[in-house]
Amino acid sequence: MPTYILFILCAIILALCLAVIIMLPWFRYQAESRNDNQLLALNIDVFKQRLAELENDFNEQQIDQATYDSQKLALERQLLDINQSTSVHSFVPNFKSRLIFIIWIPFLVAMAYYIIADRSETFKLWQSQDHIGKVADDLLTGKISTPPESAAKDAIGLINTMQTNVHHNATDPMRWFRMSEIYMALEAPEQALEALARAYRLNPDDEKIAITYAQTSFFAQGGVLSQNIRQVLQKVLANNPTHQGAQMLMVMGEMKDGNYAEARKWLNIVKQAILAKNGDHSEAVKSLADLEKNINEREAQSKQAIIVQVNITPTILGRVKKGDTLFVNIRPIAGGVPVVAKKISADDLHKEGLSLKISDIDSIMPTALLSQAIVSGQQLGITARVSTSGDAMPQSGDLTSNPVPLDVKANSATVLIDKVVP
């Protein structure tokens, strides 16, 4: 049975049950009314019996006229009080009134459900699940690699159905992994990274999941090895020391972090592994030589680096969330395009602050290096900003600092993030 029809039937049954529950007091009233009538009839019989006894006593002259009249009046008052207490002036339900309630309550429930919110998207999802749910499951379990043409026509429905399928089978790491591949094909790296993180948490020993998670995270973060991804790569290399993909990520990550000796060490390991294999590897060796040259050049440039200490006031430190981005810019105080724009993860920004190096490597344009701007005598200022969106342009809610003039004679500077962008 289609999900939509099943939902409607369940809703109707629930509404009818609600109508019956509402009418239960009416049925109780009928039983109570019968009990009250029985009690009144019994009291009337007792009244008649006592009245007969009273008249008998009067006829036999056991009581006088005044006593007879007073006791008779007391009996009549007692009967009147009982009659008034058991009489309820209320609406007495009948079959027609009950039928109206049974019809109107489901109708009013349906109207409220329709008016309060639009459920058309939910109904479309149910229809997609009924029609292409099997296709989505086969794609996520690897039984098929491409959807049939009939399912591909409803691309949005297929994606939504696959997302629902993954969440219904949330403990299956391969479903999350294949869902990440779909996200990458749709150019949605953030969703792909989240799906890969879930897959890795469910099965951290799967080498394919681990290395894909590390690569996606590495490139999504601009070639920076976060502490988490570094641990992922270290675990992959502990299980498979010759994994060249993990080794190359370590080379590029260490180079990006400024650990040039470590980068050369990993580069040498990769080179030795390639040379140990049979065949012509001249192209690969040439690429590694170019990479080593790049490492050496960056190391030479880094020796002229400026050490920037980024601090943040405790009052706004709680606004920094995991996954936020830290931007450190150096630009002319007079205004204009930044000379340097360094983008890193803000996860390591704590109450003690964060220290980082900025050099020509971080210059935006290769023809406008930081060292050239300093030599030319430009007045430069350093700013730091924590962004939740990761956008290079400031957004409302970002945490930022005031510009700090750069002293060209010093090799360090301190920036304080102390305000929120309105």
Side-chain angles (χ1 to χ4, degrees):
M1 180 182 295
T3 307
Y4 175 78
I5 300 300
L6 183 62
F7 170 77
I8 296 298
L9 290 177
C10 291
I12 292 174
I13 293 172
L14 182 61
L16 291 175
C17 291
L18 179 63
V20 172
I21 292 172
I22 291 176
M23 290 190 299
L24 277 178
W26 289 2
F27 293 104
R28 289 201 197 97
Y29 168 76
Q30 282 189 331
E32 293 173 357
S33 178
R34 285 194 296 269
N35 292 334
D36 292 339
N37 292 335
Q38 292 174 0
L39 179 62
L40 181 60
L42 179 62
N43 288 329
I44 292 173
D45 292 339
V46 172
F47 168 76
K48 290 179 179 179
Q49 183 180 357
R50 292 185 62 184
L51 185 62
E53 292 175 353
L54 185 62
E55 289 181 354
N56 186 52
D57 291 342
F58 177 72
N59 292 333
E60 293 178 358
Q61 297 183 351
Q62 294 181 4
I63 57 175
D64 55 16
Q65 182 68 40
T67 304
Y68 172 75
D69 292 340
S70 64
Q71 292 186 4
K72 182 178 179 182
L73 180 61
L75 287 173
E76 290 174 346
R77 287 178 176 175
Q78 291 177 5
L79 181 63
L80 182 61
D81 291 340
I82 293 173
N83 187 25
Q84 289 178 345
S85 64
T86 55
S87 298
V88 179
H89 299 285
S90 61
F91 169 72
V92 179
N94 54 25
F95 175 77
K96 184 182 293 185
S97 61
R98 295 190 185 96
L99 183 61
I100 290 173
F101 260 81
I102 291 177
I103 294 174
W104 270 98
I105 288 178
F107 176 75
L108 293 175
V109 169
M111 288 296 296
Y113 184 83
Y114 177 78
I115 293 172
I116 289 172
D118 182 9
R119 297 295 193 277
S120 58
E121 293 301 323
T122 303
F123 297 150
K124 289 179 182 178
L125 174 61
W126 288 345
Q127 291 175 351
S128 299
Q129 288 177 324
D130 291 334
H131 296 145
I132 55 180
K134 182 64 168 59
V135 175
D137 190 77
D138 290 344
L139 285 169
L140 292 170
T141 54
K143 295 179 181 178
I144 58 175
S145 58
T146 56
E149 184 178 353
S150 58
K153 291 179 179 179
D154 184 13
I156 296 177
L158 180 60
I159 297 300
N160 292 337
T161 303
M162 293 178 71
Q163 290 175 324
T164 306
N165 184 294
V166 168
H167 285 279
H168 286 170
N169 300 273
T171 57
D172 186 349
M174 292 310 298
R175 289 178 191 262
W176 285 107
F177 179 76
R178 294 189 178 95
M179 194 69 226
S180 72
E181 294 178 329
I182 299 295
Y183 285 136
M184 290 302 295
L186 296 173
E187 298 182 356
E190 292 183 3
Q191 291 82 350
L193 190 57
E194 181 182 353
L196 282 169
R198 288 176 177 264
Y200 179 75
R201 286 197 298 270
L202 291 169
N203 189 6
D205 296 325
D206 189 302
E207 186 178 277
K208 183 179 180 181
I209 292 177
I211 198 65
T212 305
Y213 174 41
Q215 289 174 343
T216 305
S217 178
F218 178 80
F219 292 110
Q221 296 178 4
V224 176
L225 275 184
S226 65
Q227 186 62 29
N228 177 46
I229 298 304
R230 189 179 293 274
Q231 292 174 354
V232 172
L233 291 176
Q234 288 172 348
K235 185 172 183 178
V236 171
L237 290 169
N239 295 330
N240 183 5
T242 61
H243 196 294
Q244 288 189 1
Q247 291 171 348
M248 286 302 300
L249 283 176
M250 292 299 293
V251 172
M252 292 185 288
E254 298 292 7
M255 180 179 66
K256 184 72 173 180
D257 290 345
N259 302 322
Y260 302 108
E262 286 293 314
R264 276 192 290 268
K265 184 192 78 172
W266 284 110
L267 184 65
N268 186 57
I269 292 174
V270 174
K271 184 187 297 185
Q272 295 301 323
I274 291 176
L275 293 176
K277 296 179 181 179
N278 296 327
D280 181 15
H281 305 293
S282 57
E283 289 296 326
V285 172
K286 183 179 181 301
S287 297
L288 294 178
D290 293 339
L291 181 56
E292 185 174 11
K293 181 181 177 181
N294 189 16
I295 293 173
N296 294 334
E297 291 176 352
R298 292 173 71 95
E299 184 178 24
Q301 292 175 336
S302 68
K303 292 179 180 179
Q304 302 174 359
I306 297 171
I307 299 175
V308 178
Q309 175 68 26
V310 180
N311 295 329
I312 184 169
T313 56
T315 54
I316 63 174
L317 179 59
R319 291 174 173 263
V320 180
K321 301 184 293 296
K322 186 176 180 60
D324 285 357
T325 303
L326 174 64
F327 290 94
V328 178
N329 295 336
I330 299 180
R331 70 174 71 230
I333 292 180
V337 179
V339 180
V340 169
K342 193 175 184 71
K343 175 183 177 182
I344 62 174
S345 172
D347 293 349
D348 296 328
L349 182 59
H350 304 295
K351 61 181 180 180
E352 295 83 7
L354 174 65
S355 180
L356 51 89
K357 293 181 179 181
I358 294 181
S359 64
D360 285 349
I361 301 170
D362 305 301
S363 300
I364 295 178
M365 301 294 292
T367 56
L369 301 178
L370 174 61
S371 59
Q372 295 174 348
I374 293 175
V375 170
S376 66
Q378 291 189 56
Q379 291 185 330
L380 304 174
I382 304 177
T383 58
R385 178 172 58 90
V386 176
S387 170
T388 299
S389 64
D391 198 325
M393 298 299 295
Q395 304 288 332
S396 177
D398 288 355
L399 313 178
T400 187
S401 69
N402 290 318
V404 175
L406 178 63
D407 186 356
V408 295
K409 297 180 180 179
N411 60 354
S412 63
T414 300
V415 182
L416 178 63
I417 298 176
D418 59 353
K419 60 182 180 181
V420 182
V421 177

XYZ file of all heavy atoms in Angstrom, residues 208-281:
574
model
N 40.054 2.635 2.912
C 39.490 3.433 1.829
C 38.705 4.620 2.389
O 38.842 5.756 1.907
C 38.588 2.569 0.954
C 38.005 3.297 -0.253
C 37.144 2.370 -1.093
C 36.554 3.101 -2.299
N 35.695 2.202 -3.126
N 37.885 4.354 3.407
C 37.110 5.427 4.023
C 38.048 6.437 4.671
O 37.880 7.658 4.518
C 36.127 4.848 5.065
C 35.038 4.031 4.376
C 35.504 5.974 5.900
C 34.074 3.361 5.330
N 39.071 5.942 5.375
C 39.980 6.828 6.112
C 40.743 7.749 5.176
O 40.820 8.961 5.406
C 40.938 5.992 6.957
N 41.312 7.208 4.094
C 42.135 8.034 3.216
C 41.264 9.022 2.423
O 41.675 10.170 2.170
C 42.989 7.144 2.268
C 44.140 7.971 1.697
C 42.148 6.522 1.196
C 45.135 8.430 2.725
N 40.040 8.599 2.050
C 39.136 9.519 1.349
C 38.712 10.654 2.275
O 38.643 11.818 1.858
C 37.898 8.764 0.839
O 38.308 7.658 0.028
C 37.010 9.676 0.018
N 38.445 10.319 3.519
C 38.088 11.338 4.513
C 39.237 12.323 4.701
O 39.034 13.546 4.736
C 37.744 10.641 5.831
C 37.480 11.563 6.995
C 36.750 12.735 6.841
C 37.964 11.249 8.261
C 36.505 13.575 7.913
C 37.713 12.086 9.351
C 36.993 13.240 9.168
O 36.757 14.073 10.240
N 40.461 11.818 4.789
C 41.630 12.680 4.980
C 41.851 13.582 3.764
O 42.102 14.792 3.914
C 42.866 11.826 5.250
N 41.764 13.036 2.559
C 41.975 13.825 1.354
C 40.916 14.917 1.203
O 41.242 16.079 0.914
C 41.943 12.910 0.125
C 43.163 11.994 0.006
C 43.015 11.000 -1.132
O 41.919 10.757 -1.632
N 44.135 10.390 -1.529
N 39.645 14.542 1.415
C 38.568 15.519 1.265
C 38.710 16.640 2.281
O 38.545 17.827 1.953
C 37.204 14.825 1.430
O 37.104 13.726 0.507
C 36.065 15.793 1.169
N 39.009 16.288 3.513
C 39.183 17.296 4.552
C 40.400 18.178 4.266
O 40.347 19.400 4.459
C 39.335 16.613 5.914
O 39.540 17.558 6.930
N 41.484 17.575 3.801
C 42.716 18.323 3.518
C 42.473 19.415 2.476
O 42.835 20.577 2.674
C 43.794 17.343 3.041
C 45.094 17.994 2.670
C 46.013 18.367 3.638
C 45.410 18.235 1.330
C 47.214 18.978 3.289
C 46.599 18.834 0.979
C 47.505 19.202 1.962
N 41.837 19.046 1.378
C 41.624 20.025 0.304
C 40.498 21.004 0.657
O 40.532 22.162 0.228
C 41.333 19.312 -1.007
C 42.523 18.567 -1.548
C 42.547 17.176 -1.566
C 43.630 19.252 -2.019
C 43.655 16.492 -2.059
C 44.744 18.569 -2.508
C 44.753 17.182 -2.529
N 39.511 20.552 1.435
C 38.425 21.454 1.841
C 38.934 22.543 2.775
O 38.399 23.660 2.798
C 37.308 20.668 2.511
N 39.988 22.245 3.541
C 40.560 23.206 4.480
C 41.753 23.957 3.888
O 42.567 24.512 4.629
C 40.964 22.490 5.769
C 39.798 21.892 6.519
C 40.212 21.139 7.769
O 41.384 21.111 8.139
N 39.248 20.513 8.422
N 41.855 23.954 2.576
C 42.901 24.727 1.928
C 44.283 24.138 2.086
O 45.275 24.881 2.126
N 44.399 22.817 2.153
C 45.702 22.171 2.255
C 46.292 22.182 3.650
O 47.515 22.035 3.803
N 45.443 22.345 4.665
C 45.906 22.352 6.056
C 45.565 21.018 6.700
O 44.447 20.514 6.546
C 45.256 23.505 6.846
C 45.662 23.452 8.312
C 45.642 24.840 6.237
N 46.543 20.456 7.409
C 46.307 19.217 8.144
C 45.846 19.564 9.554
O 46.636 20.015 10.382
C 47.592 18.378 8.226
C 47.930 17.460 7.054
C 49.177 16.655 7.372
C 46.772 16.534 6.722
N 44.550 19.366 9.826
C 44.071 19.571 11.185
C 44.573 18.432 12.077
O 45.043 17.392 11.585
C 42.542 19.613 11.212
O 42.006 18.352 10.824
N 44.466 18.629 13.380
C 44.950 17.603 14.302
C 44.192 16.298 14.109
O 44.778 15.215 14.173
C 44.790 18.099 15.752
C 45.390 17.176 16.804
C 46.891 17.009 16.651
O 47.570 17.906 16.163
N 47.409 15.850 17.028
N 42.898 16.398 13.837
C 42.089 15.192 13.641
C 42.542 14.422 12.404
O 42.726 13.201 12.443
C 40.617 15.583 13.518
C 39.715 14.399 13.249
O 39.820 13.360 13.885
N 38.818 14.549 12.290
N 42.742 15.137 11.277
C 43.144 14.470 10.033
C 44.567 13.935 10.149
O 44.895 12.883 9.592
C 43.003 15.438 8.844
C 41.536 15.856 8.696
C 43.492 14.795 7.567
C 40.569 14.694 8.546
N 45.408 14.626 10.868
C 46.760 14.124 11.082
C 46.719 12.767 11.810
O 47.465 11.838 11.463
C 47.566 15.135 11.900
C 49.051 14.819 12.010
C 49.738 15.894 12.826
N 49.744 17.174 12.129
C 50.676 17.521 11.261
N 51.679 16.683 10.990
N 50.641 18.699 10.671
N 45.827 12.656 12.792
C 45.687 11.386 13.507
C 45.136 10.293 12.600
O 45.542 9.130 12.705
C 44.773 11.583 14.716
C 45.376 12.458 15.809
C 44.393 12.754 16.921
O 43.214 12.407 16.854
N 44.874 13.422 17.959
N 44.222 10.671 11.693
C 43.691 9.695 10.732
C 44.813 9.152 9.850
O 44.935 7.933 9.645
C 42.577 10.338 9.872
C 42.158 9.383 8.748
C 41.376 10.689 10.739
N 45.655 10.050 9.330
C 46.761 9.622 8.466
C 47.778 8.786 9.234
O 48.307 7.792 8.701
C 47.438 10.848 7.859
C 46.613 11.625 6.823
C 47.364 12.870 6.385
C 46.298 10.750 5.610
N 48.051 9.168 10.461
C 48.999 8.396 11.265
C 48.489 6.983 11.504
O 49.276 6.020 11.501
C 49.254 9.111 12.594
C 50.087 10.383 12.443
C 50.163 11.184 13.724
O 49.424 10.924 14.685
N 51.043 12.184 13.757
N 47.181 6.821 11.682
C 46.620 5.488 11.876
C 46.697 4.680 10.583
O 47.007 3.473 10.613
C 45.166 5.601 12.340
C 44.543 4.257 12.686
C 43.183 4.429 13.329
C 42.621 3.067 13.732
N 41.306 3.194 14.407
N 46.434 5.338 9.435
C 46.539 4.631 8.145
C 47.974 4.155 7.923
O 48.210 3.007 7.528
C 46.081 5.552 6.999
C 46.400 4.911 5.647
C 44.589 5.842 7.099
N 48.941 5.026 8.219
C 50.348 4.668 8.003
C 50.832 3.635 9.017
O 51.740 2.852 8.718
C 51.217 5.922 8.075
C 51.035 6.890 6.892
C 51.720 8.215 7.179
C 51.577 6.273 5.611
N 50.229 3.612 10.188
C 50.599 2.582 11.164
C 50.155 1.208 10.682
O 50.863 0.204 10.886
C 49.968 2.893 12.517
N 49.003 1.139 10.023
C 48.506 -0.131 9.502
C 49.124 -0.481 8.150
O 49.281 -1.664 7.817
C 46.975 -0.073 9.357
C 46.283 0.067 10.695
O 46.776 -0.410 11.720
N 45.138 0.724 10.706
N 49.471 0.553 7.354
C 50.048 0.328 6.030
C 51.135 1.374 5.792
O 50.875 2.429 5.205
C 48.962 0.425 4.961
C 49.487 0.132 3.571
O 50.654 -0.244 3.390
N 48.630 0.295 2.564
N 52.356 1.127 6.247
C 53.439 2.123 6.162
C 53.796 2.540 4.746
O 54.453 3.571 4.554
C 54.622 1.422 6.846
C 54.005 0.347 7.684
C 52.798 -0.104 6.939
N 53.398 1.778 3.736
C 53.779 2.090 2.354
C 52.651 2.774 1.572
O 52.730 2.869 0.348
C 54.190 0.802 1.622
O 53.066 -0.110 1.597
C 55.369 0.130 2.321
N 51.636 3.240 2.245
C 50.506 3.874 1.550
C 50.961 5.237 1.020
O 51.121 6.201 1.769
C 49.329 4.037 2.511
C 48.027 4.321 1.817
N 47.783 5.489 1.120
C 46.906 3.566 1.684
C 46.581 5.464 0.616
N 46.003 4.299 0.943
N 51.162 5.331 -0.300
C 51.707 6.546 -0.892
C 50.734 7.721 -0.829
O 51.156 8.879 -0.725
C 52.130 6.288 -2.338
C 53.381 5.439 -2.463
C 53.896 5.399 -3.885
O 53.349 6.015 -4.789
N 54.977 4.644 -4.096
N 49.430 7.450 -0.886
C 48.455 8.539 -0.781
C 48.558 9.242 0.556
O 48.565 10.476 0.629
N 48.664 8.462 1.630
C 48.808 9.055 2.964
C 50.161 9.754 3.101
O 50.258 10.823 3.720
C 48.656 7.966 4.028
N 51.196 9.173 2.508
C 52.529 9.791 2.581
C 52.558 11.141 1.870
O 53.125 12.117 2.386
C 53.566 8.843 1.972
C 53.808 7.587 2.794
C 54.672 6.576 2.055
O 54.906 6.701 0.849
N 55.132 5.562 2.768
N 51.923 11.244 0.712
C 51.906 12.503 -0.021
C 51.084 13.572 0.714
O 51.437 14.754 0.707
C 51.351 12.294 -1.433
C 52.306 11.596 -2.378
S 53.883 12.492 -2.557
C 53.328 14.066 -3.208
N 50.020 13.150 1.373
C 49.260 14.104 2.175
C 50.106 14.634 3.324
O 50.027 15.829 3.667
C 47.989 13.447 2.724
C 46.825 13.262 1.739
C 45.686 12.524 2.407
C 46.338 14.612 1.220
N 50.936 13.770 3.896
C 51.829 14.214 4.967
C 52.868 15.198 4.427
O 53.201 16.187 5.087
C 52.517 13.014 5.613
C 51.586 12.097 6.405
S 50.776 12.922 7.800
C 52.194 13.243 8.859
N 53.369 14.943 3.216
C 54.337 15.860 2.602
C 53.713 17.247 2.445
O 54.275 18.270 2.877
C 54.805 15.335 1.231
C 55.658 16.383 0.523
C 55.595 14.041 1.396
N 52.530 17.302 1.827
C 51.904 18.592 1.552
C 51.436 19.267 2.835
O 51.522 20.490 2.972
C 50.732 18.383 0.585
C 51.180 17.954 -0.811
S 49.826 17.841 -2.003
C 48.982 16.369 -1.403
N 50.930 18.472 3.787
C 50.472 19.049 5.039
C 51.603 19.641 5.856
O 51.489 20.745 6.396
N 52.719 18.905 5.946
C 53.869 19.417 6.700
C 54.456 20.652 6.019
O 54.883 21.600 6.692
C 54.937 18.325 6.831
C 54.502 17.077 7.600
C 54.276 17.338 9.074
O 54.328 18.508 9.502
O 54.035 16.378 9.816
N 54.457 20.664 4.704
C 54.952 21.841 3.985
C 54.048 23.046 4.260
O 54.535 24.154 4.491
C 55.018 21.547 2.481
C 55.539 22.728 1.659
S 55.627 22.357 -0.124
C 53.894 22.164 -0.510
N 52.738 22.837 4.250
C 51.797 23.926 4.511
C 51.943 24.444 5.930
O 51.833 25.658 6.176
C 50.363 23.434 4.272
C 49.297 24.505 4.408
C 49.331 25.479 3.254
C 48.173 26.442 3.305
N 48.169 27.399 2.189
N 52.228 23.551 6.871
C 52.376 23.954 8.271
C 53.743 24.551 8.575
O 53.988 25.002 9.702
C 52.133 22.752 9.190
C 50.671 22.330 9.207
O 49.827 23.118 8.747
O 50.370 21.218 9.677
N 54.639 24.518 7.598
C 55.973 25.068 7.821
C 56.953 24.102 8.447
O 58.045 24.508 8.862
N 56.596 22.820 8.509
C 57.509 21.806 9.039
C 58.306 21.207 7.864
O 58.050 20.093 7.410
C 56.730 20.711 9.772
C 55.891 21.274 10.899
O 56.323 22.187 11.596
N 54.701 20.741 11.078
N 59.271 21.973 7.384
C 59.941 21.621 6.131
C 60.839 20.390 6.269
O 60.964 19.610 5.321
C 60.728 22.828 5.624
C 59.836 24.026 5.416
C 59.895 25.119 6.291
C 58.925 24.068 4.377
C 59.069 26.208 6.117
C 58.099 25.158 4.193
C 58.168 26.232 5.069
O 57.333 27.304 4.902
N 61.442 20.195 7.412
C 62.271 19.001 7.602
C 61.410 17.748 7.544
O 61.787 16.744 6.922
C 63.015 19.097 8.942
N 60.238 17.794 8.185
C 59.327 16.652 8.144
C 58.812 16.421 6.734
O 58.668 15.281 6.284
C 58.153 16.881 9.106
C 58.487 16.729 10.570
C 58.848 15.279 10.908
O 58.135 14.367 10.474
O 59.859 15.074 11.598
N 58.533 17.505 6.016
C 58.047 17.371 4.641
C 59.093 16.688 3.768
O 58.772 15.801 2.957
C 57.695 18.746 4.077
N 60.367 17.085 3.915
C 61.438 16.452 3.125
C 61.614 14.983 3.512
O 61.899 14.140 2.668
C 62.747 17.221 3.310
C 62.874 18.423 2.378
C 64.300 18.973 2.391
N 64.584 19.609 3.676
C 64.402 20.906 3.918
N 63.932 21.694 2.961
N 64.689 21.421 5.090
N 61.423 14.677 4.802
C 61.548 13.292 5.237
C 60.502 12.410 4.556
O 60.821 11.350 4.014
C 61.389 13.200 6.755
C 61.610 11.793 7.321
C 61.174 11.686 8.768
C 59.657 11.575 8.838
N 59.181 11.271 10.214
N 59.243 12.879 4.563
C 58.189 12.095 3.920
C 58.393 12.050 2.402
O 58.109 11.022 1.768
C 56.825 12.696 4.247
C 56.349 12.399 5.636
C 56.230 13.265 6.669
C 55.931 11.128 6.125
N 55.774 12.622 7.789
C 55.575 11.305 7.485
C 55.831 9.855 5.570
C 55.127 10.261 8.281
C 55.377 8.811 6.367
C 55.029 9.003 7.696
N 58.880 13.143 1.827
C 59.145 13.160 0.386
C 60.207 12.132 0.027
O 60.101 11.427 -0.999
C 59.587 14.558 -0.044
C 59.802 14.764 -1.542
C 58.494 14.607 -2.298
C 60.393 16.140 -1.808
N 61.222 12.010 0.835
C 62.283 11.036 0.585
C 61.744 9.604 0.692
O 62.148 8.727 -0.078
C 63.428 11.247 1.583
C 64.624 10.365 1.274
O 65.175 10.405 0.173
N 65.023 9.548 2.244
N 60.841 9.366 1.618
C 60.238 8.024 1.749
C 59.468 7.671 0.490
O 59.557 6.545 -0.032
C 59.323 7.989 2.987
C 60.150 8.091 4.271
C 58.495 6.711 3.005
C 59.310 8.204 5.533
N 58.697 8.654 -0.021
C 57.929 8.409 -1.243
C 58.872 8.140 -2.421
O 58.654 7.224 -3.224
C 57.014 9.612 -1.555
C 56.321 9.428 -2.903
C 55.976 9.800 -0.452
N 59.940 8.938 -2.523
C 60.882 8.777 -3.629
C 61.548 7.401 -3.587
O 61.670 6.731 -4.623
C 61.946 9.875 -3.558
C 62.934 9.851 -4.729
C 64.059 10.842 -4.519
C 63.544 12.264 -4.468
N 64.660 13.247 -4.371
N 61.990 6.959 -2.419
C 62.641 5.654 -2.293
C 61.687 4.526 -2.663
O 62.093 3.540 -3.288
C 63.160 5.465 -0.859
C 64.267 6.435 -0.460
C 65.481 6.321 -1.372
O 65.865 5.239 -1.827
N 66.098 7.480 -1.664
N 60.422 4.664 -2.286
C 59.435 3.629 -2.614
C 59.215 3.550 -4.122
O 59.075 2.462 -4.693
C 58.118 3.916 -1.899
N 59.203 4.704 -4.791
C 59.015 4.708 -6.245
C 60.233 4.118 -6.948
O 60.094 3.317 -7.888
C 58.745 6.151 -6.729
C 57.377 6.615 -6.230
C 58.802 6.235 -8.249
C 57.052 8.052 -6.557
N 61.425 4.509 -6.513
C 62.644 3.995 -7.148
C 62.817 2.501 -6.934
O 63.491 1.832 -7.738
C 63.864 4.745 -6.600
C 63.948 6.236 -6.973
C 65.130 6.889 -6.287
C 64.050 6.398 -8.495
N 62.237 1.966 -5.859
C 62.369 0.536 -5.574
C 61.529 -0.316 -6.518
O 61.735 -1.526 -6.617
C 61.989 0.252 -4.128
N 60.599 0.299 -7.227
C 59.746 -0.452 -8.142
C 60.407 -0.540 -9.512
O 61.176 0.327 -9.911
C 58.379 0.238 -8.276
C 57.581 0.269 -6.986
C 56.254 0.998 -7.194
C 55.458 1.057 -5.911
N 54.181 1.783 -6.090
N 60.099 -1.596 -10.240
C 60.633 -1.798 -11.590
C 59.940 -0.848 -12.564
O 58.787 -0.465 -12.381
C 60.425 -3.244 -12.046
C 61.200 -4.229 -11.182
O 62.287 -3.916 -10.690
N 60.642 -5.421 -10.991
N 60.668 -0.468 -13.608
C 60.089 0.361 -14.641
C 60.671 1.761 -14.661
O 61.550 2.117 -13.866
N 60.166 2.541 -15.612
C 60.639 3.912 -15.791
C 59.789 4.846 -14.937
O 58.580 4.977 -15.152
C 60.525 4.312 -17.265
C 61.036 5.733 -17.512
O 61.726 6.281 -16.618
O 60.732 6.293 -18.575
N 60.412 5.513 -13.968
C 59.699 6.422 -13.080
C 60.271 7.841 -13.174
O 60.217 8.600 -12.211
C 59.807 5.919 -11.632
C 59.346 4.508 -11.448
N 58.038 4.129 -11.607
C 60.041 3.371 -11.136
C 57.913 2.826 -11.378
N 59.132 2.348 -11.098
